[in-house]
Amino acid sequence: DGAEGWMAPWEDADASAYHVGTAQRYFDLSRAEDPAFAPAVARLAGGSPSGLVVALNYALGHASEAVLAARKDTTVHPQVYTAIGVLKVEILKHDMIPTATTPVNTAEANNFEWIREQLAIVTPGAGSYYNEGDYLVEAFQSQYWGSNYPELLATKDKYDPGNVFTCHQCVGSDRFASACGRRLGDSEGASSGFFV
C-alpha cells in the first residue's frame, strides 16, 4: 500500500487504472436552472459506462469577494469564477494493462466520442479544468485557459522558447511537431527524432 500519507486513499483506484477517457466541462447557475439541463445530464450519465459526476469543488461561482479579488493572480480558465460546478466523465479500467499491441476497443472509443459530443451539447462553449480535461480535444487552448492563453503563451515564449518543458496539450505544444518528450538535437531545439 506504500508509505502512509503518500497518496490519499480516494486516489488508489485512479492510480492503478487505465484511463479510457476523461472529459469535464464547467457550468454556471443559468445553465443549471435551464429545464432542459437536468434531463440532458441524466441522458449523458446513462450513456456513460461509469456514469457522470456533478462536482461542485472545481468552480468558484458565487464565491466570496475576497476569493474573487485574487482571480487576476491566476491563469486558470476564466469560467472557473462564474461556474458553480463541473460535469465530469471519467472512464477507468482496472482489469487491463495495455501494451503497444493492445487493439483499440472500437465500441468503447465510439461510446466515448458520443459522450464527448453530448457533453459539448449540454455545456456549449464551456471550458474545463486542465488536469482532468479531454485528452482528445483539439482546441485545448480555449478549452483549458480561455482568454488567459495569450498571456501563458507569452510567458512560455520568454522562458522556454525551445519547448524543453512540454506535454500533450501544454501551452505552446501545438507549435511543435512532437510536443511530448524532450527533443534531442541542436541548441535550437531541432528534433533529431529521438525522445527521452
Side-chain angles (χ1 to χ4, degrees), residues 115-131:
I115 290 168
R116 294 173 69 230
E117 290 169 359
Q118 295 305 304
L119 193 55
I121 290 168
V122 172
T123 57
S128 71
Y129 176 56
Y130 172 74
N131 285 353

Side-chain angles (χ1 to χ4, degrees), residues 103-113:
V104 171
N105 182 319
T106 306
E108 285 180 354
N110 289 340
N111 180 250
F112 187 60
E113 181 60 28

Side-chain angles (χ1 to χ4, degrees), residues 152-161:
L152 288 164
L153 188 58
T155 302
K156 171 78 170 178
D157 289 343
K158 179 178 179 180
Y159 294 104
D160 186 23

